[in-house]
Amino acid sequence: TRLREKRELEFNFSDFAYDLHLKSNLSAYELEQTFYKLAEKTLDFKVKYTTKNSAYAFVCFEQMRLEFSTNKLEITAQKDFYELIANLQLGFTQFELKEFIGIKGKYAKNLYRLLKQLRSTGFLKMQWEDFCNIMQIPTSYKISHIDQKILNPAIAELSAEPTLFDNKTTIFKNLTYKKVKDPKGRGRGGKVIGIEFYFT
């Protein structure tokens, strides 16, 4: 989203704390090592795609820099990747980008990305472990926590009806989910092994 505005981005490194599960008072050494781990993954991110006449492959980001005195993180996108994003040739359409920007919850955003891939079918089925990994759900969460803190709020946001005070459309109409349990399991239906989503 930010790359649509310019190629060279600036962030406060603390903004990454939640997603990276960082403690708030990192030592200088811990901050440096955390930056290197983030940079290693970010600078290794690649895109591959094929058109009618050509095949392309390139890294997405060419440089990262952390300024210790200001905690400012600078990220520079590779030119070809920036042009793909800026020209809306990769990922979201302009309408979907506006939808995505309007979504508040972290997990709602992750679920949006998943469901938009199946927008023509209205159905998504995944293995439970894959779903938890993609959604970035903490391993400490119990099933009940996932329902209460993640699934129910995300579905409420993504399937919310428009009100008198906004002109938003419902993103996924009639959005529901069902957890798939191991039929061989004991107790209350067995262990959860998958999840299914349905929407109009």
Side-chain angles (χ1 to χ4, degrees):
T1 303
R2 292 279 298 273
L3 277 175
R4 290 203 61 232
E5 301 167 8
K6 56 183 180 179
R7 235 181 102 196
E8 298 175 353
L9 305 178
E10 291 184 2
F11 300 92
N12 186 311
F13 193 70
S14 300
D15 292 343
F16 288 87
Y18 179 81
D19 288 330
L20 298 176
H21 307 292
L22 301 178
K23 59 183 183 181
S24 57
N25 55 339
L26 291 173
S27 67
Y29 176 78
E30 289 173 323
L31 181 63
E32 178 185 343
Q33 294 305 305
T34 300
F35 166 74
Y36 283 135
K37 288 179 182 178
L38 175 65
E40 184 177 352
K41 293 183 179 181
T42 303
L43 297 178
D44 193 47
F45 188 66
K46 302 176 181 69
V47 162
K48 300 175 184 177
Y49 70 96
T50 304
T51 65
K52 182 179 179 180
N53 300 315
S54 305
Y56 298 85
F58 47 80
V59 295
C60 296
F61 300 96
E62 62 184 38
Q63 177 179 303
M64 293 181 66
R65 176 176 177 266
L66 176 61
E67 181 62 49
F68 292 127
S69 61
T70 60
N71 212 28
K72 183 173 68 175
L73 178 67
E74 299 175 352
I75 304 175
T76 303
Q78 198 264 78
K79 182 174 177 290
D80 291 331
F81 181 59
Y82 168 72
E83 290 180 355
L84 279 176
I85 299 297
N87 295 327
L88 296 170
Q89 295 173 357
L90 182 69
F92 298 139
T93 64
Q94 189 165 7
F95 173 75
E96 289 167 340
L97 190 60
K98 288 180 180 179
E99 276 187 337
F100 184 78
I101 291 171
I103 299 171
K104 297 178 181 178
K106 167 190 171 181
Y107 295 113
K109 286 179 181 287
N110 290 346
L111 186 57
Y112 177 92
R113 292 188 186 102
L114 279 176
L115 296 179
K116 270 295 178 178
Q117 299 177 50
L118 284 303
R119 55 185 173 272
S120 61
T121 67
F123 174 71
L124 172 65
K125 182 176 182 179
M126 295 188 69
Q127 295 294 319
W128 182 252
E129 185 176 348
D130 293 338
F131 172 73
C132 290
N133 287 335
I134 291 174
M135 290 288 289
Q136 301 175 23
I137 297 173
T139 55
S140 60
Y141 274 28
K142 297 179 180 179
I143 296 291
S144 58
H145 289 157
I146 294 174
D147 283 326
Q148 296 169 8
K149 297 183 178 182
I150 295 176
L151 284 169
N152 292 338
I155 285 179
E157 182 172 1
L158 295 179
S159 61
E161 296 287 338
T163 69
L164 294 174
F165 305 102
D166 64 51
N167 58 358
K168 296 180 181 178
T169 59
T170 303
I171 299 176
F172 298 108
K173 294 182 179 180
N174 305 313
L175 177 59
T176 59
Y177 73 95
K178 180 178 76 173
K179 288 175 289 189
V180 180
K181 297 185 178 181
D182 185 352
K184 299 178 182 178
R186 297 179 179 178
R188 303 168 117 191
K191 178 183 177 182
V192 175
I193 58 172
I195 188 167
E196 297 176 354
F197 291 93
Y198 307 87
F199 57 93
T200 302

